[in-house]
Amino acid sequence: MKVLLTGNEAIAHGAYAAGVTVACGYPGTPSTEILESLAKYEDVDASWAPNEKVALEVGIGASLAGARALVTMKHVGLNVAADPLFTLAYTGVNGGIVVITADDPGMHSSQNEQDNRHYAKAAKIPMLEPSDSSEAAWLIEKAFTISERFDTPVLLRTTTRVNHSKSLVDASDERVQKEPSYEKDPQKYVMVPAHAQKRREVVESRMAALADYAEEFPGNRVEWGDRQIGFITSGISYQYVRETFPEASVLKIAMINPLPKRMITDFIDHVERAIVVEELDPYIEDQIRGWGLTVEGRNYIPGIGELNTEIIREALNEEEIEAPVEDVKTEEMPQRPPMLCPGCPHRGVFYTLSRMKLIVNGDIGCYTLGVMPPLNAMDSCICMGASIGNAEGMHKATGRKDIVAVIGDSTFVHSGITPLINTFYNQDPTTTIILDNRTTAMTGRQGHAGTGVKLQGENTKPLDFEQLTRAIGIESVQVIDPYELKEVRQALEEAIAQDEPSVIISQRPCLLVERSKNGPLMVTADNCIGCKVCLRLGCPSISWKDERAVIDTASCVGCGVCAQLCKSDAIVEYTQPDKGAGI
Ligand code: SF4
Ligand code: SF4
């Protein structure tokens, strides 16, 4: 049966068909929906881990026990999981294990743009890369076969465009049935140096065997056409090349590591010019050049951001290589700057931080939007869990106490606990604000250890942040309601006055998790003196019209934060739809 699936749904379906019984990951765009789709199958144990390293370690355990395991993460997550990954290459597997790295060219929702194809080479493991949903479903099954046949973890690399676009997938109900079996083998699985040194040689001969296999791998194929130009390409770039140059010869590579050297050499020998089209780094091109072959690519094709047919056409047109197919022009979409939602519980905290002119080290999550005007309440944001260490480092360098870290609840569980322990250990008087909105909001409201809900819907015991931080030894711990601006300010003043580390837990659910029961507010035009103080909040429901503030009652959730700022009592409950001035 053919069904229309996104790349993420197709990977989940393919993994299910391949007999995966354990799946683990940390949410991160563009990978999140893979695990959410797999969680719908009752005979799969799918779970969110506190971070990608733990997710991979869970997957490794399942694999060693003989189950097929899938581990999902976005590209930066692989940095976190790199430690167990590199050693897993040495131990090999028992049940097949596949790790998804979802790269984000163009940084649609990421703090950097990194090309994770390099991880496959560095870790000495095979990598596959699909060009669409159909191939994604097929490749994930192949990945498990390769994993078990060559006794290796397999990386499956996707990019945002493949993860989120849809194409037809043959989605049968067949599923590989595999009984886990385990045999103790410390020489293989216990990587003390004496064992690891022997496994190092196994890794090398495995890569040689995989290099031969790459020549026959059916995902690597030549599509012969006009031989004036031959394109060498993979992933989503293949689709762009095919659309722009439908008559050209194309070598499509689905096994990214190791590359099929003989196949590539033969292809280059049979075309007049060979051009590599690949997103981000010249990963394929550099290897081909390293073999002493002549190839073009990065001299035309940009290495920053996502490619598309227009970019490829224009880049090659400059070299007088004319694309026969015209692009379909799409209309320009209006620009919508990202901003915190109306009634977002983080707004009151950022407003207060901004008014107090504190130095704010931020972290990864939707609260990073506290950097946007008019709040402007963020000084740094580096990576998951970095805020607390950044704040501590700033304090060490300057001795200042007006330095805070803000970190979301999910991010705190991911990698905020260890740096908080460090502030306690060093007794650096930094203030950590845990913005606990009871969810992983930015990636689509996933649960985590603090929410009390597991991925497959069961309730569990929630982690208590107050008890946890007190158990670390931190004595100054306050729990506050971020809608109460006076409470927020008092807590901050008390915390930054301490000579030891302090924690503020700002607790209120994200409005996407728990809808506000309050009705909207409105501005009474007669009372509004046009001071614009309420505009400093940056709430999208408040705008400026005819020298007065106006509240959009359709989007206002009645959080009441703006009313606390208005000294003229001009912001009141919405009661008079006909007479209410300023609505
Ligand atoms: S704070 Fe009050 S008085 Fe000032 S602009 Fe806003 S609604 Fe008007
Ligand atoms: S009450 Fe004020 S701050 Fe809260 S959502 Fe409505 S307009 Fe925005």
Side-chain angles (χ1 to χ4, degrees), residues 413-476:
V413 173
H414 179 280
S415 43
I417 298 169
T418 37
L420 188 64
I421 289 171
N422 201 46
T423 65
F424 172 72
Y425 173 55
N426 290 306
Q427 285 296 298
D428 281 310
T430 50
T431 297
T432 298
I433 306 163
I434 303 173
L435 297 170
D436 180 6
N437 65 358
R438 318 305 302 159
T439 191
T440 317
M442 193 170 184
T443 46
R445 292 180 295 136
Q446 290 76 27
H448 60 72
T451 61
V453 185
K454 297 208 257 180
L455 173 56
Q456 289 176 303
E458 308 137 87
N459 290 328
T460 183
K461 292 183 180 174
L463 187 63
D464 183 324
F465 292 136
E466 190 180 353
Q467 271 194 35
L468 175 71
T469 47
R470 287 194 193 282
I472 287 172
I474 292 170
E475 288 171 15
S476 173

Side-chain angles (χ1 to χ4, degrees), residues 235-252:
I236 194 66
S237 305
Y238 163 79
Q239 304 288 4
Y240 300 146
V241 165
R242 265 278 153 256
E243 263 180 55
T244 318
F245 297 93
E247 309 297 331
S249 292
V250 176
L251 169 53
K252 182 199 178 308

Side-chain angles (χ1 to χ4, degrees), residues 341-344 347 520-521 537 539-542 551-552 555-563 571:
C341 303
C344 171
R347 181 169 281 107
L521 303 189
L537 275 176
C539 175
S541 297
I542 310 177
I551 289 179
D552 170 27
S555 59
C556 169
V557 299
C559 72
V561 173
C562 57
I571 301 179

